[in-house]
């Protein structure tokens, strides 16, 4: 289709499964050099890496628990040691972190959800910025930070998922701030906000609940990970979206039109 992503160095957090893995696959298919991340390795990760490498792309795995700032730094350092820099950072690691009604929320629950969804993005982006700035200067093209937001950030989330929804709204908003600070450096910031996508995220829901949720979606079904991945490709590619920054792209089958 185009070769603007060939050789680009793409770090995708939380990419051993689900939406992140699908994003890794489309970047690999475009000839990018892709860093995969999850908390730890194992046979399943090995199989995933072999499958991705079959595209002919250069793939490497970087284990790191991104709830810890020191591991966010280590991830960026390890990726740069392997690939020599960063052109595209995708902050995708995240999750519900459990459910709790307001009156039951304690510090441990709050920290768990915020560390996973907010601190991980803040710290990984912080450590990636010097590399993204240098890559933009060297290439003469914009570099890109893309974070996975959520429909929950738009509408508040389900009961018990308020901190999760707020953590994603936090991401939607801090991107607007980073646009002000880093556009002069040639770095763009955009959000992909999935609706209800069929991944492990919904594993705890039974079929009846899934059918009820599907009924609230204009397309009457959950989205597939392959239907979300191209949005990351679009925002990552200077040739396609070089004048687009500070935006949120909702990929939700018409579940909501904010
Ligand atoms: P998933 O559970 O398949 O993916 C989560 C990924 O994050 C996995 O690769 C996991 O290894 C990684 N991860 C989790 N904790 C981590 C940690 N501490 N450090 C490093 N990596 C960690 O589910 P998914 O649906 O693909 O979720 C991906 C992103 O999409 C998440 O940010 C999620 O909040 C967001 N999202 C999902 C949906 C949905 O309906 N599936 C909707 C909106 C937003």
């Amino acid at each position: 289709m185009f070769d603007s992503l060939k050789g680009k160095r793409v770090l995708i957090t939380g990419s051993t499964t689900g939406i992140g893995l699908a994003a890794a696959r489309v970047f690999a298919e475009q000839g990018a050099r892709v860093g995969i991340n999850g908390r730890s390795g194992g046979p399943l990760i090995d199989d995933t890496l072999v499958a991705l490498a079959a595209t002919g792309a250069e793939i490497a795995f970087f284990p790191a628990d991104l709830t810890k700032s020191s591991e966010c730094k280590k991830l960026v350092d390890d990726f740069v040691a392997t690939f020599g820099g960063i052109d595209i950072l995708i902050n995708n690691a995240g999750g519900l972190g459990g459910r709790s009604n307001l009156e039951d929320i304690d510090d441990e629950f709050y920290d768990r959800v915020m560390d996973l969804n907010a601190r991980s993005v803040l710290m990984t982006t912080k450590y990636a910025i010097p590399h993204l700035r240098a890559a933009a200067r060297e290439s003469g093209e914009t570099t890109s930070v893309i974070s996975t937001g959520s429909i929950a950030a738009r509408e508040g989330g389900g009961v018990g998922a308020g901190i999760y929804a707020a953590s994603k709204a936090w991401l939607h908003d801090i991107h607007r701030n980073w646009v002000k600070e880093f556009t002069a450096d040639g770095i763009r910031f955009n959000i992909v906000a999935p609706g209800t996508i069929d991944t492990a995220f919904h594993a705890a829901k039974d079929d009846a609940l899934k059918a009820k949720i599907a009924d609230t979606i204009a397309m009457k079904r959950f989205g597939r990970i392959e239907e979300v991945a191209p949005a990351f490709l679009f925002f990552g590619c200077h040739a396609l979206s070089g004048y687009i920054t500070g935006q949120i792209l909702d990929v939700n089958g018409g579940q909501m039109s904010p």
Side-chain angles (χ1 to χ4, degrees), residues 49-115:
L49 296 181
V50 170
L52 285 174
T55 60
E58 200 180 331
I59 306 289
F61 175 62
F62 303 96
D65 175 355
L66 301 180
T67 59
K68 300 180 176 63
S69 302
S70 59
E71 300 250 325
C72 298
K73 179 175 188 317
K74 184 177 173 327
L75 171 64
V76 170
D77 289 348
D78 290 349
F79 180 89
V80 170
T82 300
F83 290 116
I86 308 177
D87 298 297
I88 300 164
L89 168 66
I90 299 180
N91 293 306
N92 175 72
L96 201 56
R99 285 185 188 270
S100 180
N101 291 354
L102 174 57
E103 289 165 287
D104 297 323
I105 287 172
D106 56 16
D107 287 349
E108 189 276 326
F109 180 83
Y110 175 85
D111 288 347
R112 174 149 41 95
V113 179
M114 290 302 286
D115 286 353

Side-chain angles (χ1 to χ4, degrees), residues 3-4 8 17 21 48 52 60 65 85 103 105-106 129 135 140-141 145 164 172 179 203 212-213 218 234-235:
D3 63 4
S4 351
K8 292 290 184 190
T17 57
L21 177 57
T48 302
L52 285 174
D65 175 355
E103 289 165 287
I105 287 172
D106 56 16
I129 286 287
E141 294 187 349
V145 175
Y164 169 75
H172 287 199
V179 167
K212 204 169 150 193
I213 294 170
F234 174 68
F235 281 139

Side-chain angles (χ1 to χ4, degrees), residues 215-234:
D215 203 44
T216 67
I217 303 170
M219 292 194 187
K220 299 295 175 198
R221 63 171 177 84
F222 283 24
R224 293 186 286 271
I225 54 175
E226 296 79 13
E227 295 172 310
V228 185
F232 293 97
L233 212 55
F234 174 68

Side-chain angles (χ1 to χ4, degrees), residues 11-25:
L11 172 56
I12 309 178
T13 71
S15 46
T16 54
T17 57
I19 292 168
L21 177 57
R25 203 172 292 126

